Coordinates of all heavy atoms in Angstrom, one line a residue:
A1 N -113.9 -100.2 23.1 CA -114.3 -98.8 23.3 C -113.2 -97.9 23.1 O -113.4 -96.8 22.6 CB -115.0 -98.7 24.6
Q2 N -112.0 -98.2 23.6 CA -110.9 -97.3 23.4 C -110.5 -97.0 22.0 O -110.2 -95.9 21.6 CB -109.6 -97.9 24.2 CG -108.4 -96.9 24.1 CD -108.7 -95.6 24.8 OE1 -109.1 -95.6 26.0 NE2 -108.5 -94.5 24.2
F3 N -110.6 -98.1 21.2 CA -110.3 -97.9 19.7 C -111.3 -96.9 19.1 O -110.9 -96.0 18.3 CB -110.4 -99.3 19.0 CG -110.1 -99.2 17.5 CD1 -108.8 -99.1 17.1 CD2 -111.1 -99.1 16.6 CE1 -108.5 -99.0 15.8 CE2 -110.9 -99.0 15.3 CZ -109.5 -99.0 14.8
I4 N -112.6 -97.0 19.5 CA -113.6 -96.1 19.0 C -113.3 -94.7 19.4 O -113.4 -93.7 18.6 CB -115.0 -96.5 19.4 CG1 -115.4 -97.9 18.7 CG2 -116.1 -95.5 19.0 CD1 -116.7 -98.5 19.2
V5 N -113.0 -94.5 20.7 CA -112.6 -93.2 21.2 C -111.5 -92.6 20.5 O -111.5 -91.4 20.0 CB -112.3 -93.2 22.7 CG1 -111.7 -91.9 23.2 CG2 -113.6 -93.5 23.5
D6 N -110.4 -93.3 20.3 CA -109.2 -92.8 19.6 C -109.6 -92.5 18.1 O -109.1 -91.4 17.6 CB -108.1 -93.9 19.6 CG -107.6 -94.1 21.0 OD1 -107.8 -93.3 21.9 OD2 -106.9 -95.2 21.2
L7 N -110.4 -93.3 17.5 CA -110.7 -93.0 16.1 C -111.6 -91.8 16.0 O -111.4 -90.9 15.1 CB -111.5 -94.2 15.5 CG -111.7 -94.3 14.1 CD1 -110.4 -94.3 13.3 CD2 -112.5 -95.6 13.8
L8 N -112.6 -91.6 16.9 CA -113.4 -90.4 16.9 C -112.6 -89.2 17.2 O -112.9 -88.1 16.6 CB -114.6 -90.6 17.9 CG -115.6 -91.6 17.5 CD1 -116.6 -91.8 18.7 CD2 -116.4 -91.2 16.3
K9 N -111.6 -89.3 18.1 CA -110.8 -88.1 18.4 C -110.1 -87.6 17.1 O -110.0 -86.4 16.9 CB -109.7 -88.5 19.4 CG -110.2 -88.3 20.8 CD -108.9 -88.3 21.7 CE -109.1 -89.2 22.9 NZ -108.0 -89.4 23.7
Q10 N -109.5 -88.5 16.4 CA -108.8 -88.1 15.2 C -109.7 -87.4 14.2 O -109.4 -86.4 13.6 CB -108.2 -89.4 14.5 CG -107.0 -90.0 15.2 CD -106.6 -91.3 14.6 OE1 -107.2 -91.8 13.6 NE2 -105.5 -91.9 15.1
V11 N -110.9 -88.0 13.9 CA -111.7 -87.5 12.9 C -112.5 -86.3 13.4 O -112.6 -85.3 12.6 CB -112.7 -88.6 12.4 CG1 -113.7 -88.1 11.4 CG2 -112.0 -89.8 11.9
S12 N -112.9 -86.2 14.6 CA -113.7 -85.1 15.1 C -112.8 -83.8 15.2 O -113.3 -82.7 15.3 CB -114.3 -85.4 16.4 OG -113.4 -85.6 17.4
A13 N -111.5 -84.0 15.2 CA -110.6 -82.8 15.2 C -110.7 -82.0 13.9 O -110.4 -80.8 13.9 CB -109.2 -83.2 15.4
T14 N -111.2 -82.6 12.8 CA -111.2 -81.9 11.5 C -112.6 -81.7 11.0 O -112.8 -81.0 10.0 CB -110.4 -82.7 10.5 OG1 -111.0 -84.0 10.4 CG2 -109.0 -82.8 10.9
T15 N -113.7 -82.3 11.7 CA -115.0 -82.1 11.1 C -116.0 -82.1 12.2 O -115.8 -82.7 13.3 CB -115.3 -83.3 10.2 OG1 -116.6 -83.1 9.5 CG2 -115.3 -84.6 10.8
A16 N -117.1 -81.4 12.0 CA -118.2 -81.3 13.0 C -119.2 -82.5 12.9 O -119.8 -82.9 13.9 CB -119.0 -80.0 12.9
F17 N -119.3 -83.0 11.7 CA -120.2 -84.2 11.4 C -119.4 -85.1 10.6 O -118.6 -84.8 9.7 CB -121.5 -83.7 10.7 CG -122.4 -83.0 11.5 CD1 -122.3 -81.6 11.7 CD2 -123.5 -83.6 12.2 CE1 -123.2 -80.9 12.5 CE2 -124.4 -82.9 13.0 CZ -124.3 -81.5 13.1
F18 N -119.7 -86.4 10.7 CA -119.2 -87.5 9.9 C -120.1 -87.7 8.7 O -121.3 -87.6 8.8 CB -119.1 -88.8 10.6 CG -118.2 -88.7 11.9 CD1 -118.8 -88.9 13.1 CD2 -116.9 -88.6 11.7 CE1 -118.0 -88.8 14.2 CE2 -116.0 -88.5 12.9 CZ -116.6 -88.7 14.1
S19 N -119.5 -88.0 7.6 CA -120.2 -88.4 6.4 C -120.5 -89.9 6.5 O -119.8 -90.6 7.2 CB -119.5 -88.1 5.1 OG -118.4 -88.9 5.0
E20 N -121.5 -90.3 5.7 CA -121.7 -91.8 5.7 C -120.5 -92.6 5.2 O -120.2 -93.7 5.7 CB -123.0 -92.1 4.9 CG -124.3 -91.7 5.5 CD -125.5 -92.0 4.7 OE1 -125.5 -93.2 4.2 OE2 -126.4 -91.2 4.6
V21 N -119.8 -92.0 4.3 CA -118.5 -92.6 3.8 C -117.5 -92.7 4.9 O -116.9 -93.8 5.1 CB -118.0 -91.8 2.6 CG1 -116.6 -92.3 2.2 CG2 -118.9 -91.8 1.4
Q22 N -117.3 -91.7 5.7 CA -116.4 -91.7 6.8 C -116.8 -92.8 7.8 O -116.0 -93.5 8.4 CB -116.3 -90.4 7.6 CG -115.5 -89.3 6.8 CD -115.6 -88.0 7.5 OE1 -116.7 -87.5 7.8 NE2 -114.5 -87.4 7.8
V23 N -118.1 -92.9 8.1 CA -118.6 -93.9 9.1 C -118.2 -95.3 8.5 O -117.8 -96.1 9.3 CB -120.1 -93.7 9.4 CG1 -120.6 -94.9 10.2 CG2 -120.4 -92.4 10.0
G24 N -118.5 -95.5 7.3 CA -118.1 -96.8 6.6 C -116.6 -97.1 6.7 O -116.2 -98.2 7.0
E25 N -115.8 -96.0 6.5 CA -114.4 -96.2 6.6 C -113.9 -96.6 8.0 O -113.1 -97.5 8.2 CB -113.7 -94.9 6.2 CG -113.8 -94.7 4.7 CD -113.2 -93.3 4.2 OE1 -112.9 -92.5 5.1 OE2 -113.2 -93.1 3.0
W26 N -114.5 -95.9 9.1 CA -114.0 -96.3 10.4 C -114.6 -97.6 10.9 O -114.0 -98.3 11.7 CB -114.0 -95.2 11.4 CG -115.2 -94.3 11.7 CD1 -115.4 -93.1 11.2 CD2 -116.3 -94.6 12.6 NE1 -116.6 -92.6 11.7 CE2 -117.1 -93.5 12.5 CE3 -116.6 -95.7 13.4 CZ2 -118.3 -93.4 13.3 CZ3 -117.8 -95.6 14.1 CH2 -118.6 -94.5 14.1
M27 N -115.8 -98.0 10.3 CA -116.3 -99.3 10.6 C -115.3 -100.4 10.0 O -115.0 -101.4 10.6 CB -117.7 -99.5 10.1 CG -118.7 -98.7 10.8 SD -118.9 -99.0 12.5 CE -119.9 -100.5 12.5
D28 N -114.9 -100.1 8.8 CA -113.9 -101.0 8.1 C -112.6 -101.1 9.0 O -112.0 -102.1 9.1 CB -113.6 -100.6 6.7 CG -114.7 -100.9 5.7 OD1 -115.6 -101.8 6.1 OD2 -114.7 -100.3 4.7
A29 N -112.1 -99.9 9.4 CA -110.9 -99.9 10.3 C -111.1 -100.7 11.5 O -110.2 -101.4 11.9 CB -110.6 -98.4 10.6
M30 N -112.3 -100.6 12.2 CA -112.5 -101.4 13.4 C -112.5 -102.9 13.0 O -112.0 -103.7 13.8 CB -113.8 -101.0 14.0 CG -113.8 -99.7 14.8 SD -115.2 -99.4 15.8 CE -116.5 -99.2 14.6
K31 N -113.2 -103.2 11.9 CA -113.2 -104.6 11.5 C -111.8 -105.2 11.3 O -111.5 -106.2 11.8 CB -114.0 -104.7 10.2 CG -114.1 -106.1 9.7 CD -115.1 -106.2 8.5 CE -114.5 -105.4 7.3 NZ -115.3 -105.5 6.1
N32 N -111.0 -104.4 10.6 CA -109.6 -104.9 10.3 C -108.7 -104.9 11.5 O -107.9 -105.8 11.7 CB -109.0 -104.0 9.2 CG -109.8 -104.2 7.9 OD1 -110.3 -105.2 7.6 ND2 -109.8 -103.2 7.1
T33 N -108.8 -103.9 12.4 CA -108.0 -103.8 13.5 C -108.4 -104.8 14.6 O -107.5 -105.4 15.3 CB -108.0 -102.4 14.1 OG1 -107.5 -101.5 13.1 CG2 -107.1 -102.2 15.3
L34 N -109.7 -104.9 14.9 CA -110.2 -105.7 16.0 C -110.5 -107.1 15.6 O -110.7 -108.0 16.5 CB -111.4 -105.0 16.6 CG -111.2 -103.6 17.1 CD1 -112.6 -103.0 17.6 CD2 -110.2 -103.6 18.3
G35 N -110.6 -107.4 14.3 CA -110.9 -108.7 13.8 C -112.3 -109.1 14.1 O -112.6 -110.3 14.2
V36 N -113.2 -108.1 14.2 CA -114.6 -108.4 14.5 C -115.4 -108.0 13.3 O -115.1 -106.9 12.7 CB -115.1 -107.6 15.8 CG1 -116.5 -107.8 16.0 CG2 -114.2 -108.0 17.0
K37 N -116.4 -108.7 12.9 CA -117.2 -108.3 11.8 C -118.7 -108.7 12.0 O -119.0 -109.5 13.0 CB -116.7 -108.9 10.5 CG -116.6 -110.4 10.5 CD -116.0 -110.9 9.2 CE -115.9 -112.4 9.2 NZ -115.3 -112.9 8.0
G38 N -119.5 -108.2 11.1 CA -120.9 -108.6 11.2 C -121.6 -108.0 12.4 O -121.3 -106.9 12.9
K39 N -122.6 -108.7 12.9 CA -123.4 -108.2 14.0 C -122.6 -107.8 15.3 O -122.9 -106.7 15.8 CB -124.5 -109.3 14.4 CG -125.5 -108.8 15.4 CD -126.6 -109.9 15.6 CE -127.6 -109.3 16.6 NZ -128.7 -110.3 16.7
P40 N -121.6 -108.6 15.7 CA -120.9 -108.1 16.9 C -120.2 -106.7 16.7 O -120.1 -105.9 17.6 CB -119.8 -109.2 17.1 CG -120.4 -110.4 16.5 CD -121.2 -109.9 15.3
L41 N -119.7 -106.5 15.4 CA -119.1 -105.2 15.1 C -120.1 -104.1 15.2 O -119.9 -103.1 15.9 CB -118.5 -105.3 13.7 CG -117.9 -103.9 13.2 CD1 -116.7 -103.5 14.0 CD2 -117.6 -104.0 11.7
F42 N -121.2 -104.2 14.6 CA -122.2 -103.2 14.5 C -122.9 -103.0 15.9 O -123.2 -101.9 16.3 CB -123.2 -103.4 13.4 CG -122.7 -103.2 12.1 CD1 -122.2 -104.2 11.3 CD2 -122.6 -101.9 11.6 CE1 -121.6 -104.0 10.1 CE2 -122.0 -101.6 10.3 CZ -121.5 -102.7 9.6
L43 N -123.1 -104.1 16.6 CA -123.7 -104.0 17.9 C -122.8 -103.2 18.9 O -123.2 -102.3 19.6 CB -124.1 -105.3 18.5 CG -124.8 -105.3 19.9 CD1 -126.1 -104.5 19.8 CD2 -125.1 -106.8 20.3
G44 N -121.5 -103.6 18.9 CA -120.5 -102.9 19.7 C -120.4 -101.4 19.4 O -120.4 -100.6 20.3
A45 N -120.4 -101.1 18.1 CA -120.3 -99.7 17.7 C -121.6 -99.0 18.1 O -121.5 -97.8 18.6 CB -120.0 -99.6 16.2
R46 N -122.7 -99.6 17.9 CA -124.0 -98.9 18.2 C -124.1 -98.7 19.7 O -124.5 -97.6 20.1 CB -125.2 -99.8 17.8 CG -126.5 -99.2 18.2 CD -127.7 -100.0 17.7 NE -127.7 -100.2 16.2 CZ -128.1 -99.2 15.4 NH1 -128.4 -98.0 15.9 NH2 -128.1 -99.4 14.1
L47 N -123.7 -99.6 20.5 CA -123.7 -99.4 22.0 C -122.8 -98.3 22.4 O -123.1 -97.5 23.2 CB -123.4 -100.7 22.7 CG -124.4 -101.8 22.7 CD1 -123.9 -103.1 23.2 CD2 -125.6 -101.4 23.5
A48 N -121.6 -98.2 21.8 CA -120.6 -97.2 22.1 C -121.1 -95.8 21.7 O -120.9 -94.8 22.4 CB -119.3 -97.5 21.4
L49 N -121.8 -95.7 20.6 CA -122.2 -94.4 20.0 C -123.6 -94.0 20.4 O -123.9 -92.8 20.5 CB -122.1 -94.4 18.5 CG -120.7 -94.7 18.0 CD1 -120.7 -94.8 16.5 CD2 -119.7 -93.6 18.5
T50 N -124.5 -94.9 20.8 CA -125.9 -94.5 21.1 C -126.4 -95.0 22.4 O -127.4 -94.6 22.9 CB -126.8 -95.1 20.0 OG1 -126.9 -96.5 20.1 CG2 -126.4 -94.6 18.6
A51 N -125.7 -96.0 23.0 CA -126.0 -96.6 24.3 C -127.3 -97.4 24.1 O -128.0 -97.7 25.1 CB -126.2 -95.6 25.4
Q52 N -127.7 -97.8 22.9 CA -128.9 -98.5 22.6 C -128.5 -99.8 21.7 O -127.7 -99.6 20.8 CB -129.9 -97.7 21.8 CG -130.3 -96.5 22.5 CD -131.1 -96.8 23.7 OE1 -132.0 -97.7 23.7 NE2 -130.9 -96.0 24.8
P53 N -129.1 -100.9 22.0 CA -128.7 -102.1 21.2 C -129.4 -102.2 19.8 O -129.0 -102.9 19.0 CB -129.2 -103.3 22.1 CG -130.3 -102.7 22.9 CD -129.9 -101.2 23.1
H54 N -130.5 -101.4 19.6 CA -131.2 -101.4 18.4 C -131.5 -99.9 18.0 O -131.6 -99.0 18.8 CB -132.5 -102.2 18.5 CG -132.3 -103.5 19.0 ND1 -131.8 -104.5 18.2 CD2 -132.6 -104.1 20.2 CE1 -131.7 -105.7 18.9 NE2 -132.2 -105.4 20.1
G55 N -131.8 -99.7 16.7 CA -132.1 -98.4 16.2 C -131.9 -98.2 14.8 O -131.7 -99.2 14.0
P56 N -132.0 -97.0 14.3 CA -131.9 -96.7 12.8 C -130.5 -97.1 12.3 O -129.5 -97.3 13.1 CB -132.2 -95.3 12.7 CG -132.2 -94.7 14.1 CD -132.3 -95.8 15.0
D57 N -130.3 -97.1 11.0 CA -129.0 -97.4 10.4 C -127.9 -96.5 11.0 O -128.0 -95.3 11.1 CB -129.1 -97.1 8.9 CG -127.9 -97.5 8.2 OD1 -127.0 -96.6 8.1 OD2 -127.8 -98.6 7.6
L58 N -126.9 -97.2 11.5 CA -125.8 -96.5 12.2 C -125.1 -95.5 11.3 O -124.7 -94.4 11.8 CB -124.8 -97.6 12.7 CG -123.8 -97.1 13.8 CD1 -124.6 -96.5 15.0 CD2 -123.0 -98.2 14.3
K59 N -124.9 -95.8 10.0 CA -124.2 -94.8 9.2 C -125.0 -93.5 9.0 O -124.4 -92.4 9.1 CB -124.0 -95.4 7.8 CG -122.9 -96.4 7.7 CD -122.7 -96.9 6.2 CE -121.7 -97.9 6.2 NZ -121.5 -98.4 4.8
I60 N -126.3 -93.6 8.9 CA -127.2 -92.4 8.8 C -127.2 -91.7 10.1 O -127.0 -90.5 10.2 CB -128.6 -92.8 8.3 CG1 -128.5 -93.4 6.9 CG2 -129.5 -91.6 8.4 CD1 -129.8 -94.0 6.4
L61 N -127.4 -92.5 11.2 CA -127.5 -91.9 12.5 C -126.2 -91.1 12.9 O -126.3 -90.0 13.4 CB -127.9 -92.9 13.5 CG -128.1 -92.5 15.0 CD1 -129.3 -91.6 15.1 CD2 -128.2 -93.6 15.9
S62 N -125.1 -91.8 12.6 CA -123.8 -91.1 13.0 C -123.5 -89.9 12.1 O -122.9 -89.0 12.6 CB -122.7 -92.2 12.8 OG -122.9 -93.2 13.7
S63 N -124.0 -89.9 10.9 CA -123.8 -88.7 10.1 C -124.7 -87.5 10.5 O -124.4 -86.4 10.1 CB -124.0 -89.1 8.6 OG -125.3 -89.3 8.3
L64 N -125.7 -87.8 11.2 CA -126.6 -86.7 11.7 C -126.3 -86.2 13.1 O -126.9 -85.2 13.5 CB -128.1 -87.2 11.6 CG -128.6 -87.5 10.2 CD1 -130.0 -88.2 10.3 CD2 -128.6 -86.3 9.3
T65 N -125.5 -87.0 13.8 CA -125.2 -86.6 15.2 C -123.8 -85.9 15.2 O -122.8 -86.4 14.6 CB -125.1 -87.9 16.0 OG1 -126.3 -88.6 15.9 CG2 -124.9 -87.6 17.5
P66 N -123.7 -84.8 15.9 CA -122.4 -84.1 15.9 C -121.3 -85.0 16.4 O -121.5 -85.8 17.4 CB -122.7 -82.9 16.9 CG -124.1 -82.7 16.8 CD -124.7 -84.0 16.6
A67 N -120.1 -84.8 15.8 CA -119.0 -85.7 16.2 C -118.6 -85.6 17.6 O -118.3 -86.6 18.3 CB -117.8 -85.3 15.3
K68 N -118.7 -84.4 18.2 CA -118.4 -84.2 19.6 C -119.3 -85.0 20.5 O -118.9 -85.5 21.6 CB -118.5 -82.7 20.0 CG -117.3 -81.9 19.4 CD -117.4 -80.5 19.9 CE -116.2 -79.7 19.3 NZ -116.2 -78.3 19.7
I69 N -120.6 -85.1 20.2 CA -121.5 -85.9 21.0 C -121.2 -87.4 20.9 O -121.2 -88.1 21.9 CB -123.0 -85.6 20.5 CG1 -123.4 -84.2 20.9 CG2 -123.9 -86.7 21.1 CD1 -124.7 -83.8 20.5
L70 N -120.9 -87.9 19.7 CA -120.5 -89.3 19.5 C -119.2 -89.6 20.3 O -119.1 -90.6 21.0 CB -120.2 -89.6 18.0 CG -121.5 -89.5 17.1 CD1 -121.0 -89.8 15.7 CD2 -122.5 -90.5 17.5
L71 N -118.3 -88.7 20.3 CA -117.0 -88.9 21.1 C -117.3 -88.9 22.6 O -116.8 -89.8 23.3 CB -116.0 -87.8 20.7 CG -114.7 -87.8 21.5 CD1 -114.0 -89.1 21.3 CD2 -113.8 -86.6 21.1
E72 N -118.2 -88.0 23.0 CA -118.5 -88.0 24.5 C -119.2 -89.3 24.9 O -119.0 -89.8 25.9 CB -119.4 -86.8 24.8 CG -119.7 -86.6 26.2 CD -118.5 -86.5 27.1 OE1 -117.5 -86.0 26.7 OE2 -118.5 -87.0 28.3
R73 N -120.1 -89.8 24.0 CA -120.8 -91.0 24.3 C -119.8 -92.2 24.4 O -119.9 -93.0 25.3 CB -121.9 -91.3 23.3 CG -123.1 -90.4 23.3 CD -124.0 -90.7 22.2 NE -125.2 -89.8 22.2 CZ -126.0 -89.7 21.3 NH1 -125.9 -90.5 20.2 NH2 -127.0 -88.9 21.3
A74 N -118.9 -92.3 23.5 CA -117.9 -93.3 23.5 C -117.0 -93.2 24.8 O -116.7 -94.2 25.4 CB -117.1 -93.3 22.3
R75 N -116.7 -92.0 25.1 CA -115.9 -91.8 26.4 C -116.6 -92.3 27.6 O -116.0 -92.9 28.5 CB -115.5 -90.3 26.5 CG -114.3 -89.9 25.6 CD -114.0 -88.5 25.9 NE -112.8 -88.1 25.1 CZ -112.6 -86.9 24.7 NH1 -113.4 -85.9 24.9 NH2 -111.5 -86.6 24.0
K76 N -117.9 -92.0 27.7 CA -118.7 -92.4 28.8 C -118.8 -93.9 28.9 O -118.7 -94.4 30.0 CB -120.1 -91.8 28.7 CG -120.2 -90.4 29.1 CD -121.6 -89.8 29.0 CE -121.7 -88.4 29.3 NZ -123.0 -87.8 29.1
L77 N -118.9 -94.6 27.8 CA -118.9 -96.0 27.8 C -117.6 -96.6 28.3 O -117.5 -97.5 29.1 CB -119.2 -96.6 26.4 CG -119.2 -98.1 26.3 CD1 -120.2 -98.8 27.2 CD2 -119.3 -98.6 24.9
L78 N -116.5 -96.0 27.8 CA -115.2 -96.4 28.2 C -115.0 -96.2 29.7 O -114.4 -97.1 30.4 CB -114.1 -95.6 27.5 CG -112.7 -96.1 27.6 CD1 -112.5 -97.5 27.2 CD2 -111.8 -95.2 26.8
E79 N -115.5 -95.1 30.3 CA -115.4 -94.9 31.7 C -116.2 -96.0 32.5 O -115.7 -96.5 33.5 CB -115.9 -93.5 32.1 CG -115.0 -92.4 31.7 CD -115.7 -91.0 31.9 OE1 -116.7 -90.9 32.6 OE2 -115.1 -90.0 31.4
K80 N -117.3 -96.3 32.0 CA -118.2 -97.4 32.7 C -117.5 -98.7 32.6 O -117.6 -99.5 33.6 CB -119.5 -97.4 32.0 CG -120.4 -96.3 32.4 CD -121.8 -96.5 31.7 CE -122.7 -95.3 32.0 NZ -124.0 -95.4 31.4
L81 N -116.8 -99.0 31.5 CA -116.1 -100.3 31.4 C -114.8 -100.4 32.2 O -114.3 -101.5 32.5 CB -115.8 -100.6 29.9 CG -117.0 -100.7 29.0 CD1 -116.5 -100.9 27.6 CD2 -117.8 -102.0 29.5
S82 N -114.3 -99.2 32.6 CA -113.0 -99.2 33.3 C -113.2 -99.5 34.8 O -114.1 -99.3 35.4 CB -112.3 -97.8 33.2 OG -112.0 -97.6 31.8

């Protein structure tokens, strides 16, 4: 969760909404940095960003949700895990 928070902080400083391309790029960054791929990667990201284990395509959903809201959701998850 800390990696997601740090990544969202960097990107949300320059944009109000993420593009689907940006979401794909930070999913790739998480995959490469954390060594997680496939379902565990997407489930973890989905839980951090939506607090739901299932739902619409994460790239589309993330591009429609303001970056500040996504960052706040990830921070809340991090607080719960601490």
Side-chain angles (χ1 to χ4, degrees):
Q2 183 63 54
F3 182 80
I4 294 172
V5 169
D6 293 342
L7 194 57
L8 290 172
K9 271 194 229 179
Q10 290 175 355
V11 180
S12 66
T14 60
T15 187
F17 287 88
F18 299 112
S19 70
E20 289 184 42
V21 171
Q22 286 173 307
V23 175
E25 288 172 351
W26 51 261
M27 292 298 283
D28 286 342
M30 285 191 295
K31 178 175 64 176
N32 295 330
T33 302
L34 302 174
V36 178
K37 59 184 178 180
K39 188 174 182 177
L41 172 68
F42 287 96
L43 182 59
R46 178 177 299 285
L47 287 170
L49 299 176
T50 69
Q52 300 294 318
H54 305 288
D57 184 274
L58 196 56
K59 286 183 182 180
I60 295 170
L61 183 66
S62 296
S63 68
L64 296 173
T65 306
K68 288 182 180 182
I69 290 175
L70 295 175
L71 178 58
E72 185 57 34
R73 288 177 181 170
R75 283 183 176 151
K76 285 180 182 178
L77 176 65
L78 187 58
E79 287 174 12
K80 286 181 182 180
L81 295 174
S82 297

